[in-house]
Structures are given as C-alpha cells and as structure tokens.
C-alpha cells in the first residue's frame, strides 16, 4: 500500500571496554570502526540479508538493531523477488560519538539511511 512507511532505527558499533567489544586493525581504531560499519551498511544498501547475517557473524559488530534490520532486509528482498515493490536503499549520514585512538576510549556509531521506491 502506498500509504505505508517503515522506519528502522539503530545505532551501529558500540566500541570500548564498557561494551566488551574492542576489535582493532592495522589503522587507527576509529578508522577500523568506520570500515567495519560501512561494510555492514553496504550489505544493507545492496539488500543482501544473507550477506548481512554473515557479516554480523564474522565481525560480531554490536549493532543494537541487527534483528529488526535483518527482518526488514528479508521483507524488502521478498517484495523485490515477488515483483511487489523494489526499493533503493542509501545511507545518507554516518557519525561516531568520538574518534577512538586508545584502548581506553569508547564510541558509538550512528548511521541514517533512506529507502525510496525504485
């Protein structure tokens, strides 16, 4: 129905000892967090529920709304596959509460996406 809008809201990575999640890479920690978040965002934009599930299993990223996101991804994929509706999903904003540079720092990531009819 054209009068229905769905809003799915979630934080992304919760990084720090207080979240019991502190993965690092070869670059600055805040850059590693951004790369990890953007990899997940890419699967969401491409509407790949299976790839998103694999990403979560592989990275163990602490995305609070991972379950609602997965349900939504499956729903929009089902609509696309059945010819009911096709959406374009695009992230429009990404931010981190702080730029983590030390293991004693912490941060929460935020991302906003818009889904429009294709």
């Amino acid at each position: 129905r054209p009068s229905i809008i769905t809003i799915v809201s979630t934080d992304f990575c919760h990084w720090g000892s207080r979240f019991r999640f502190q993965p690092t890479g070869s670059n600055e920690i805040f850059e590693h967090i951004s790369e990890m978040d953007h990899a997940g965002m890419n699967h969401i934009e491409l509407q790949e529920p299976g790839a998103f599930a694999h990403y979560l299993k592989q990275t163990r990223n602490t995305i609070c709304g991972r379950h609602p996101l997965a349900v939504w991804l499956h729903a929009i994929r089902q609509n696309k596959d059945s010819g009911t509706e096709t959406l374009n999903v695009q992230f429009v904003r990404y931010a981190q509460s702080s730029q983590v540079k030390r293991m004693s720092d912490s941060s929460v990531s935020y991302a906003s996406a818009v889904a429009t009819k294709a």
Side-chain angles (χ1 to χ4, degrees):
R1 296 183 292 181
S3 61
I4 294 176
I5 184 171
T6 303
I7 298 171
V8 179
S9 176
T10 183
D11 300 338
F12 267 70
C13 182
H14 291 66
W15 194 99
S17 61
R18 65 188 173 133
F19 304 115
R20 297 187 182 125
F21 189 70
Q22 293 179 287
T24 60
S26 60
N27 49 1
E28 291 276 2
I29 297 170
F30 70 89
E31 292 169 337
H32 178 74
I33 294 167
S34 178
E35 289 171 2
M36 182 174 52
D37 284 339
H38 280 84
M41 292 159 61
N42 185 54
H43 293 306
I44 294 166
E45 284 184 335
L46 294 174
Q47 303 168 41
E48 299 174 333
F52 183 66
H54 177 74
Y55 155 83
L56 289 171
K57 186 176 183 178
Q58 182 182 30
T59 65
R60 305 182 62 80
N61 196 350
T62 52
I63 300 171
C64 289
R66 62 191 170 278
H67 299 300
L69 274 172
V71 169
W72 182 68
L73 283 173
H74 281 282
I76 62 175
R77 173 50 66 106
Q78 175 64 33
N79 283 347
K80 181 179 182 179
D81 291 349
S82 69
T84 305
E85 179 179 66
T86 300
L87 297 179
N88 289 320
V89 179
Q90 182 178 11
F91 278 87
V92 295
R93 182 85 167 103
Y94 175 79
Q96 296 175 357
S97 61
S98 66
Q99 288 195 335
V100 175
K101 295 183 179 178
R102 296 180 306 274
M103 293 300 288
S104 58
D105 293 341
S106 66
S107 177
V108 177
S109 302
Y110 307 93
S112 301
V114 174
T116 56
K117 281 190 174 184

